[in-house]
Amino acid sequence: MDGVHAHELIDRAPVLARLAAGEPVEWANPARKPMDEVRCGQELGAADIGDARSRLERFAPLVEELFPQTRERGGIIESDLVEIPAMRAVLNERHGAGLSGRLLLKKDSHLAVAGSVKARGGIYEVLKFAEDLALEEGLLVSRDSGEGAFRSLAGEHAREVFAGYSIRVGSTGNLGLSIGIMGAALGFHVEVFMSREARQWKKDLLRSYGAVVVESEGDYGAAVARAREEAAVDPTCHFVDDENSRDLFLGYAVAASRLRPQLDELGVEVGEENPLFVYIPCGVGGAPGGISFGLRHEFGDAVHCFFVEPTSAPCMLAGMASGLHGGICVQDLGLDGRTQADGLAVGRASGLVGPLMCPHFSGGLTVDDALLFDYLRDLDGSERVFVEPSACAAFRGPARIERSPELRAYLEAWGLAGRMGDATHIVWATGGSLVPEEERATYLAWQGRGLSQPRP
Ligand SMILES: *Cc1c(COP(=O)(O)O)cnc(C)c1O
């Protein structure tokens, strides 16, 4: 972005100057629209989400066969939703949140198989690829073939067929884990191109499942580009395109319909009088975008979805505020994109998610790395729940929703200011249960003081 160009953009969206200065910001999306104004004219909709949900149900017997730890939920990979009153008290007492509603934690950090939100999108995309191949190769007669037929895809014959195909993906760690674990379980050859932020234990774990890990010194965008190039020359290779994938997006979106019964269980009503606020950490945008898209189709105008990014890598916010979406990267703003939140170390947002989510997202926030470790310790100390640094970004939402002038203006504008006592807030914890013990201890002891300090 040259000087003149930068000026024009900043005139259009003053928040960009604050992002460029590395300040933590809160931003309300002026383009959010009521649901009945956006339902038509979008390239994806409720029918696509329903289709993804049915596919996951068809595959449940196979998932259960491959991963016995999913038996309790009948092969459906889903996480708990729990109330965290002690953490709410910490946010109010130590972080000045002034939060008046209830605070819940969605524990995708503890999702079976992959231990992160990527167990939704990543695993869904692998299963969809496997289903299409199985139909093509005659392993399945139809999509309605029944339980036994789907379960037989775990058998020797199917594995031999799948072994003739490969899957490639670029990742900061967790996407690679979910694709690698599910891909290898079905017999595919999987290659994961890891960006420089990827933690060593994630690479080791992935290799232990038989996936090939290709390490690089480049950032996330560079890792994706390499995976894309290598996949393009190989007709037997499926490339999981985190920057553009509809399948990943729809896999994430299924989360929403499964949330409703969990809210019912906790006695949480959602409606005009009882708004639901959801805060999701954001990297390239697929996970927060897909989940929020699903939530808007499920709860309509009663749900308010915010994405949260590190101050050094606010690619989605830069894309939304400028209107350029994938056409601007954080380096254009003079930021380096480096953060301890490895899963959020992304310089350029998905070109699919930004435009699609424009009428849906309520807004975005950025958070300093140092605070992530405070939240991590606070949650561990108050609720005895461990989540990884990237997941902690979401706590910035409830910490600021009733305090920030920008977000209070949002509440006023949508008629919510007087209803906050009846509101419910969900922090979407996106990863953490697979983090090894030593690594947890280092995170818990880490006194984050910004990026000048060595990595933990
Ligand atoms: C990938 C990831 C995210 C963000 O998902 P995107 O699809 O990249 O936006 C958030 N938290 C964790 C732990 C992740 O692994």
Side-chain angles (χ1 to χ4, degrees):
M1 188 163 75
D2 61 47
V4 180
H5 192 186
H7 250 270
E8 282 171 9
L9 282 177
I10 287 168
D11 283 349
R12 221 192 304 171
V15 71
L16 293 173
R18 298 181 57 210
L19 289 182
E23 283 175 40
V25 304
E26 291 89 30
W27 175 80
N29 177 15
R32 181 182 192 263
K33 289 204 165 59
M35 210 44 203
D36 54 8
E37 288 177 33
V38 286
R39 247 184 241 278
C40 49
Q42 286 222 300
E43 57 184 299
L44 293 174
D48 302 290
I49 304 172
D51 178 56
R53 188 184 155 108
S54 322
R55 181 165 289 103
L56 288 169
E57 282 162 11
R58 288 201 290 280
F59 269 98
L62 174 65
V63 171
E64 189 179 61
E65 181 85 15
L66 293 171
F67 301 99
Q69 69 268 37
T70 64
R71 195 157 293 158
E72 208 179 310
R73 293 188 199 256
I76 295 291
I77 298 172
E78 192 45 76
S79 69
D80 291 336
L81 178 71
V82 298
E83 184 147 22
I84 46 170
M87 182 63 181
R88 176 181 180 276
V90 171
L91 285 178
N92 281 344
E93 285 154 24
R94 248 182 258 161
H95 296 272
L99 193 67
S100 38
R102 290 172 77 177
L103 183 64
L104 311 179
L105 188 71
K106 180 60 175 164
K107 291 172 76 176
D108 277 11
S109 46
H110 293 67
L111 276 175
V113 184
S116 83
V117 68
K118 305 300 194 306
R120 299 186 184 280
I123 286 175
Y124 175 73
E125 177 147 352
V126 172
L127 294 177
K128 175 146 191 295
F129 177 55
E131 186 179 50
D132 292 345
L133 264 184
L135 288 165
E136 224 175 276
E137 295 274 359
L139 296 170
L140 281 177
V141 177
S142 84
R143 295 187 204 277
D144 314 310
S145 286
E147 250 186 58
F150 276 87
R151 200 176 281 121
S152 75
L153 297 179
E156 264 321 300
H157 177 51
R159 287 185 65 84
E160 277 167 26
V161 173
F162 291 148
Y165 294 86
S166 64
I167 302 177
R168 284 190 180 78
V169 62
S171 175
T172 59
N174 287 339
L175 181 62
L177 273 179
S178 82
I179 302 279
I181 294 172
M182 183 50 86
L186 288 170
F188 290 109
H189 173 77
V190 181
E191 275 182 36
V192 180
F193 293 74
M194 288 287 198
S195 64
R196 64 185 175 214
E197 276 79 14
R199 310 291 303 169
Q200 188 59 44
W201 69 265
K202 291 183 183 175
K203 300 180 202 172
D204 296 342
L205 183 60
L206 201 44
R207 288 192 173 112
S208 78
Y209 279 95
V212 174
V213 177
V214 185
E215 303 185 50
S216 83
E217 269 312 295
D219 71 358
Y220 172 74
V224 173
R226 256 192 91 184
R228 179 183 281 121
E229 265 167 40
E230 301 224 357
V233 297
D234 179 355
T236 62
C237 179
H238 177 73
F239 171 56
V240 177
D241 187 353
D242 198 14
E243 291 173 334
N244 294 287
S245 169
R246 285 171 171 69
D247 292 337
L248 281 174
F249 187 83
L250 291 171
Y252 291 124
V254 172
S257 62
R258 300 193 191 147
L259 191 70
R260 192 182 278 279
Q262 295 189 314
L263 286 166
D264 290 345
E265 186 98 345
L266 292 171
V268 173
E269 278 184 44
V270 180
E272 204 180 326
E273 307 285 319
N274 304 89
L276 178 65
F277 291 80
V278 182
Y279 312 94
I280 315 176
C282 181
V284 74
I291 293 168
S292 301
F293 189 74
L295 288 169
R296 282 274 282 169
H297 281 81
E298 190 68 31
F299 299 102
D301 298 333
V303 69
H304 305 270
C305 302
F306 293 86
F307 57 89
V308 189
E309 298 175 291
T311 45
S312 59
C315 61
M316 182 59 69
L317 187 33
M320 285 237 151
S322 64
L324 295 175
H325 301 298
I328 186 171
C329 68
V330 301
Q331 285 76 15
D332 293 335
L333 296 173
L335 299 168
D336 66 6
R338 288 188 176 251
T339 164
Q340 302 285 346
D342 50 345
L344 315 182
V346 176
R348 189 184 297 279
S350 156
L352 168 76
V353 173
L356 199 56
M357 291 308 293
C358 220
H360 295 297
F361 270 137
S362 291
L365 302 89
T366 62
V367 58
D368 276 334
D369 274 25
L371 257 181
L372 301 179
F373 293 90
D374 289 344
Y375 295 143
L376 188 147
R377 263 192 309 277
D378 290 340
L379 184 67
D380 184 74
S382 64
E383 301 281 351
R384 294 278 147 221
V385 177
F386 178 89
V387 303
E388 63 186 272
S390 298
C392 292
F395 283 106
R396 186 68 177 164
R400 296 294 293 161
I401 187 74
E402 293 189 63
R403 281 289 177 259
S404 145
E406 289 81 2
L407 299 182
R408 288 167 70 122
Y410 173 91
L411 300 179
E412 289 289 343
W414 290 93
L416 301 164
R419 304 202 165 122
M420 295 308 282
D422 299 315
T424 299
H425 305 265
I426 298 181
V427 164
W428 211 281
T430 43
S433 61
L434 295 185
V435 177
E437 208 44 59
E438 321 83 72
E439 193 101 358
R440 289 182 189 212
T442 322
Y443 284 148
L444 286 164
W446 172 251
Q447 301 294 325
R449 289 287 179 273
L451 297 175
S452 56
Q453 298 245 332
R455 291 164 60 91

